[in-house]
Amino acid sequence: MKEMAKKTKNCIIHALPVLTDNIIWIWERGREAVVVDPSVSDPVVEFLDKNNLSLNCVLQTHHHDDHIGGTKSLITRWPSTPVIASKEDLDRIPFQSYSVQDDDELRILGCKVKVLALPGHTKAHIAFYSSGIKNEDTEPIIFCGDTLFSGGCGRLFEGSPKEMFYSLKKINSLPSQTKIYCAHEYTESNLRWANNLLPEDLLIKKRLEKVIEIRANGLPTLPSTLEEERKTNLFLRSKSVDEFYRLRKHKDNWNG
């Protein structure tokens, strides 16, 4: 897969594809970089060294190994680097050096970043949301890990359907232009499922056709936007916990 960078004024967010379908996000401004959910370390070290970037901090959305597997190596290489993670996950991310909780506000790369608690995929899952850099033409962004995917959402490994439903509603309350930086390249499979379930939905069908073309060219489909997800993500379109849970069970058992 080719690497793709999304630019805003004075900011670049790089998609670093690793493993089978993980995306490590590298958020660059000036000569500093923030790394989000580093499942492995070697590609991150190579990227930072190649581009002469210093590591500002590591953001962890949750404790799964394909999100934290590379962090220990990174902080061995850059020992003063803060690792920001949920206070509720201190036992499972013990190397975190800055513990946060819902509604905490941070200053990262000149941006105000708000922590959002999003239980569901795991009990202590969090996201990092920024409305942009003051007085600069930047878009709101969210690093949402495995809660909201492009065209889908995370499985319920620890949380309840009600928790995930309201976590998705919390994301859905953000501005429509918010860029969705999720942690896996699942867009095509998610939309194939949605198209199979609702073949008459033209918005889903057209988006799937576009995504198939993008993937055929070896490019990532991420990030998406909240506006796009509102139109084509069946989980985000759910009107109740029961509707959400029916869809989640259907997706869990779908073999398409």
Side-chain angles (χ1 to χ4, degrees):
M1 184 190 297
K2 300 175 184 177
E3 176 203 314
M4 178 178 286
K6 299 295 184 181
K7 296 184 179 180
T8 59
K9 189 174 181 181
N10 293 331
C11 289
I12 307 174
I13 300 179
H14 305 271
L16 197 61
V18 298
L19 304 178
T20 303
D21 48 45
N22 281 72
I23 302 291
I24 299 173
W25 295 108
I26 300 180
W27 180 17
E28 172 191 346
R29 189 181 188 212
R31 305 314 310 163
E32 293 187 291
V34 171
V35 174
V36 186
D37 285 349
S39 48
V40 291
S41 61
D42 287 350
V44 176
V45 172
E46 181 182 353
F47 182 91
L48 296 182
D49 285 350
K50 179 182 177 181
N51 292 281
N52 194 29
L53 296 170
S54 61
L55 184 56
N56 178 283
C57 66
V58 175
L59 305 181
Q60 306 279 193
T61 62
H62 63 294
H63 74 280
H64 286 160
D65 191 59
D66 65 325
H67 292 254
I68 68 171
T71 304
K72 287 184 179 180
S73 294
L74 292 178
I75 59 178
T76 298
R77 173 73 180 270
W78 291 283
S80 62
T81 300
V83 176
I84 303 172
S86 171
K87 183 178 181 180
E88 293 182 34
D89 248 349
L90 189 57
D91 57 334
R92 300 189 291 189
I93 311 179
F95 47 82
Q96 63 179 273
S97 54
Y98 196 91
S99 302
V100 295
Q101 54 193 356
D102 192 34
D103 286 334
D104 279 354
E105 291 190 348
L106 313 169
R107 179 68 62 174
I108 300 175
L109 298 185
C111 295
K112 184 186 291 185
V113 175
K114 186 174 183 179
V115 177
L116 303 178
L118 300 175
H121 181 65
T122 67
K123 67 180 182 181
H125 197 297
I126 59 174
F128 300 90
Y129 169 75
S130 176
S131 59
I133 302 172
K134 188 176 181 180
N135 299 325
E136 293 191 14
D137 185 19
T138 55
E139 299 159 324
I141 61 174
I142 184 169
F143 297 106
C144 55
D146 287 1
T147 298
L148 178 67
F149 290 131
S150 181
C153 75
R155 289 176 178 265
L156 304 180
F157 288 124
E158 296 175 6
S160 68
K162 183 176 181 180
E163 285 176 318
M164 182 62 102
F165 177 76
Y166 283 103
S167 289
L168 293 176
K169 283 181 68 70
K170 184 181 289 190
I171 294 176
N172 203 15
S173 70
L174 300 175
S176 62
Q177 69 270 29
T178 301
K179 290 290 186 70
I180 307 297
Y181 289 91
C182 59
H184 290 273
E185 178 58 72
Y186 290 158
T187 313
E188 184 175 345
S189 62
N190 285 334
L191 292 177
R192 286 187 183 278
W193 164 75
N195 184 64
N196 178 264
L197 195 61
L198 295 177
E200 75 285 357
D201 191 311
L202 293 181
L203 291 175
I204 292 173
K205 182 181 178 63
K206 288 180 180 179
R207 187 181 178 198
L208 175 58
E209 291 171 350
K210 180 180 177 182
V211 162
I212 290 172
E213 182 180 354
I214 291 171
R215 298 298 291 147
N217 289 321
L219 296 171
T221 63
L222 308 173
S224 63
T225 65
L226 185 54
E227 181 177 18
E228 191 169 36
E229 295 306 316
R230 285 171 176 165
K231 294 176 181 177
T232 57
N233 190 317
L234 297 186
F235 296 109
L236 209 62
R237 283 166 36 173
S238 299
K239 298 296 192 295
S240 69
V241 175
D242 287 344
E243 180 185 357
F244 165 78
Y245 192 40
R246 285 196 299 271
L247 289 169
R248 185 64 266 175
K249 287 192 294 184
H250 188 280
K251 180 68 165 61
D252 290 345
N253 293 296
W254 186 66
N255 295 314

